[in-house]
């Protein structure tokens, strides 16, 4: 097998892992090529894997429901245009209530996803192993971490392109407020009370609500684990970014994928860990001292068809924290223009 000229050694490890030692322009040392398609949990990983898997099993259902979410736009418009028509008001309310119940499920799932991420961060950063050793030893957990990021960016891409979500929820809240003023109690209030509606409103007001949830959870994890060096968390993220970049830019490795969807999976995961890194690391992902090769990551995205990467490039443009800092080079900014 031919390897890129930057590789100086490789070997198979634990069946599912191809370890590739590379030196890129940032001299970052070891990167691990993880088998995202086939990694299975070892006995030591099983407890955390089972806990996270119970959450991930629901992820595809959530995505399918969001993808098929059409909203109650027509019913709402008719109700607003005919405020005196009680039949149209009831029709709009009947259309919106089950949709808001669905939005509540999405929000509650984000809380479960947050807990799953915390469990994985604890497992992948705990002493005595370094983050790169964790990723090598616990490939199945690394795969689950990647699956959470893949779900997160998939969810947010669908949410950003569906204005019906905000419109439906706004109409629901306005109707609740109006009826509260008139001392009317609606059945739906018992399912989505005012406190829950406030929390959901903050969640859906975000352009990328799932990503914001994970970013906040990662930042909170770092701040609450004061005995754990912040580098243990950020090194885990930067190593994962390198894994994905090497996987994407090397034809020999891309040819190993048995599923064409794995390519998009890798791109989403790479972007997700970059954004998390940028939110958690004090100077972010774009500074010269960053352990992530941002130029290489952006280039590998731009080398793909724009239909599959424009949303990911927008995520880097608009959901990172440090892109517009003075420490970001003009070259990186130009790449994201």
């Amino acid at each position: 097998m031919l390897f890129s000229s930057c590789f100086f050694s490789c070997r198979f490890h634990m069946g599912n892992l191809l370890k590739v030692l590379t030196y890129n322009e940032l001299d970052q040392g070891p990167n691990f090529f993880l088998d995202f398609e086939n990694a299975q949990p070892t006995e030591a990983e099983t407890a955390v894997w089972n806990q996270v898997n119970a959450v991930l099993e629901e992820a595809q259902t959530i995505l399918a429901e969001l993808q098929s979410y059409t909203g109650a736009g027509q019913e709402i418009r008719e109700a607003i245009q005919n405020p005196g028509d009680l039949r149209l008001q009831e029709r709009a309310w009947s259309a919106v209530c089950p949709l808001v119940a669905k939005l509540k499920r999405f929000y509650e799932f984000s809380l479960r996803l947050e807990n799953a991420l915390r469990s994985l961060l604890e497992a992948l950063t705990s002493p005595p192993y370094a983050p790169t050793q964790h990723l090598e030893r616990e490939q199945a957990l690394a795969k689950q971490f990647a699956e959470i990021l893949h779900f997160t960016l998939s969810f947010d891409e669908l949410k950003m392109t569906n204005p019906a979500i905000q419109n439906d929820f706004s109409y629901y809240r306005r109707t609740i407020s109006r009826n509260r003023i008139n001392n009317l109690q609606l059945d739906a209030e018992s399912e989505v009370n005012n406190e829950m509606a406030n929390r959901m409103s903050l969640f859906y007001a975000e352009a990328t609500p799932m990503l914001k949830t994970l970013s906040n959870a990662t930042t909170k994890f770092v701040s609450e684990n004061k005995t754990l060096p912040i580098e243990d968390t950020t090194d885990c993220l930067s190593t994962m970014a390198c894994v994905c970049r090497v996987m994407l830019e090397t034809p020999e490795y891309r040819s190993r994928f048995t599923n064409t969807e794995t390519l998009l999976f890798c791109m989403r995961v790479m972007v997700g860990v970059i954004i998390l890194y940028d939110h958690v690391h004090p100077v972010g992902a774009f500074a010269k001292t960053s352990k992530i090769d941002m130029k290489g990551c952006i280039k590998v995205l731009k080398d793909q068809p724009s239909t599959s990467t424009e949303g990911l490039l927008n995520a880097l443009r608009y959901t990172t924290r440090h892109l517009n800092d003075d420490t970001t080079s003009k070259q990186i900014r130009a790449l994201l223009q």
Side-chain angles (χ1 to χ4, degrees):
M1 180 185 291
L2 295 176
F3 293 94
S4 173
S5 59
C6 68
F7 301 144
F8 64 83
S9 73
C10 68
R11 62 183 174 85
F12 284 102
H13 181 76
M14 293 171 63
N16 289 330
L17 176 66
L18 183 62
K19 180 179 180 183
V20 184
L21 301 178
T22 76
Y23 281 105
N24 60 21
E25 62 187 47
L26 298 179
D27 191 20
Q28 290 174 7
N31 297 323
F32 298 95
F33 187 96
L34 296 167
D35 187 349
F36 284 142
E37 293 181 335
N38 302 304
Q40 296 296 318
T42 61
E43 188 175 347
E45 296 170 87
T46 300
V48 174
W49 189 91
N50 284 338
Q51 177 194 340
V52 175
N53 190 57
V55 178
L56 286 171
E57 281 181 342
E58 193 181 342
Q60 289 308 310
T61 304
I62 295 288
L63 282 182
E65 287 189 11
L66 180 56
Q67 197 152 20
S68 63
Y69 189 103
T70 54
Q74 183 177 342
E75 292 90 342
I76 291 171
R77 277 192 302 274
E78 290 176 351
I80 291 173
Q81 289 166 3
N82 301 277
D85 191 324
L86 186 60
R87 182 183 62 84
L88 290 177
Q89 306 307 311
E90 290 175 348
R91 183 175 170 224
W93 183 249
S94 296
V96 163
C97 285
L99 294 172
V100 169
K102 190 174 288 190
L103 294 178
K104 181 190 176 190
R105 286 202 304 276
F106 296 167
Y107 167 71
E108 289 175 333
F109 182 76
S110 77
L111 304 181
R112 296 181 61 207
L113 200 71
E114 182 179 346
N115 290 331
L117 178 74
R118 183 181 183 87
S119 297
L120 288 174
L121 286 173
E122 287 173 351
L124 293 171
T125 60
S126 60
Y129 301 112
T132 49
Q133 291 174 305
H134 275 297
L135 292 175
E136 181 177 4
R137 294 167 60 91
E138 292 145 23
Q139 300 163 58
L141 298 186
K143 180 186 174 187
Q144 286 185 320
F145 186 82
E147 286 172 338
I148 285 177
L149 290 164
H150 180 259
F151 163 81
T152 296
L153 269 74
S154 300
F155 181 97
D156 287 347
E157 282 178 18
L158 290 170
K159 186 264 178 186
M160 279 193 290
T161 57
N162 195 339
I165 290 171
Q166 286 281 73
N167 294 340
D168 292 348
F169 195 63
S170 295
Y171 177 81
Y172 174 85
R173 298 211 72 186
R174 287 197 307 272
T175 305
I176 289 285
S177 297
R178 188 167 62 247
N179 284 294
R180 191 173 290 122
I181 291 169
N182 296 327
N183 292 318
L184 295 174
Q185 179 73 24
L186 299 171
D187 292 341
E189 282 192 78
S190 59
E191 182 167 353
V192 181
N193 59 30
N194 196 48
E195 183 186 350
M196 172 61 76
N198 286 335
R199 294 202 301 267
M200 288 171 61
S201 185
L202 290 172
F203 178 75
Y204 287 110
E206 295 288 342
T208 52
M210 286 291 178
L211 201 52
K212 180 69 172 177
T213 298
L214 294 198
S215 294
N216 288 346
T218 307
T219 303
K220 186 178 178 184
F221 173 79
V222 170
S223 65
E224 288 181 350
N225 289 271
K226 300 189 185 304
T227 59
L228 186 72
I230 188 172
E231 290 79 12
D232 283 18
T233 302
T234 55
D235 284 357
C236 176
L237 301 175
S238 61
T239 301
M240 187 76 83
C242 283
V243 166
C244 295
R245 177 181 55 77
V246 171
M247 190 182 296
L248 289 164
E249 69 188 5
T250 311
E252 289 86 356
Y253 300 148
R254 287 170 55 164
S255 68
R256 301 174 67 86
F257 301 153
T258 58
N259 187 341
T260 55
E261 286 294 308
T262 307
L263 186 66
L264 183 56
F265 178 91
C266 291
M267 289 190 285
R268 283 208 176 103
V269 172
M270 182 179 73
V271 169
V273 288
I274 288 171
I275 294 168
L276 287 184
Y277 183 100
D278 195 58
H279 278 253
V280 174
H281 197 281
V283 298
F286 299 95
K288 287 183 179 178
T289 53
S290 166
K291 290 189 177 181
I292 296 177
D293 175 9
M294 284 305 305
K295 282 187 283 187
C297 291
I298 295 168
K299 183 179 182 300
V300 85
L301 287 174
K302 291 203 159 191
D303 286 344
Q304 315 304 321
S306 61
T307 51
S308 59
T309 59
E310 191 57 30
L312 298 177
L313 289 167
N314 282 337
L316 290 177
R317 291 176 185 122
Y318 305 122
T319 64
T320 47
R321 182 172 287 172
H322 295 280
L323 174 61
N324 295 316
D325 288 3
D326 293 337
T327 51
T328 302
S329 72
K330 291 180 181 177
Q331 189 177 6
I332 288 177
R333 286 187 198 177
L335 282 171
L336 283 174
Q337 289 297 315

